[in-house]
Amino acid sequence: MPVFALKIKADLENVAKLVVLDNVMWKLDIQSGEGGDTKSGVTVSKEDVLELDGSKGEANFIVKWPGSKSQAYIKMLDMKAGQGDYTEDKDGQYSTVALFECRGLEITSYVPGADFSAESTGGGKFEEVDL
């Protein structure tokens, strides 16, 4: 199953780090694995755990495309602590902030929102920073 890595690149000015919020609802655009069908603005959260039909498996987002017999899904993969943070040393470079295992669909784009908190170089903290 393919794994899609969500990478961001930012020029940080007076920001020490961006941290992915614990309860983030990633907003994504997806398309059928066979192409053609698309969905815009679907939300995927680690907190949403759904059972797959005919399986003991679970996923964080499930869709059944028109004409398809099976479910397509997204399962969020764990990253090591701090691995998804975007820090000063990554300034201007792409860095992975989330991993999504997909079956029967492809992620075509990420719609940025208030997915991060920020810490300034002076130590100030800002919640739900809208990129």
Side-chain angles (χ1 to χ4, degrees):
M1 284 172 264
V3 174
F4 289 81
L6 174 58
K7 296 181 177 222
I8 64 168
K9 178 174 132 176
D11 294 322
L12 303 179
E13 187 173 320
N14 297 321
V15 175
K17 69 179 170 179
L18 294 172
V19 178
V20 175
L21 295 173
D22 288 334
N23 59 348
V24 66
M25 295 279 292
W26 298 107
K27 193 171 183 183
L28 308 168
D29 294 340
I30 60 172
Q31 76 176 20
S32 162
E34 290 121 27
D37 294 319
T38 63
K39 290 194 178 282
S40 298
V42 302
T43 56
V44 180
S45 170
K46 222 172 215 188
E47 294 177 353
D48 294 334
V49 179
L50 310 165
E51 290 185 29
L52 295 166
D53 288 345
S55 169
K56 293 182 181 178
E58 298 175 330
N60 303 107
F61 173 82
I62 299 173
V63 65
K64 193 161 186 179
W65 298 107
S68 177
K69 294 179 183 177
S70 59
Q71 294 176 313
Y73 66 84
I74 298 174
K75 185 177 190 178
M76 295 188 64
L77 301 178
D78 289 327
M79 295 181 66
K80 293 178 181 159
Q83 191 176 19
D85 298 347
Y86 193 88
T87 55
E88 285 179 297
D89 62 320
K90 299 173 185 172
D91 191 40
Q93 302 172 41
Y94 281 102
S95 181
T96 301
V97 294
L99 295 171
F100 304 94
E101 178 183 307
C102 300
R103 172 166 276 194
L105 61 84
E106 296 177 3
I107 297 172
T108 56
S109 64
Y110 157 61
V111 182
D115 304 323
F116 299 88
S117 64
E119 186 176 314
S120 72
T121 52
K125 296 188 180 191
F126 305 90
E127 296 298 321
E128 296 184 12
V129 177
D130 190 351
L131 301 179

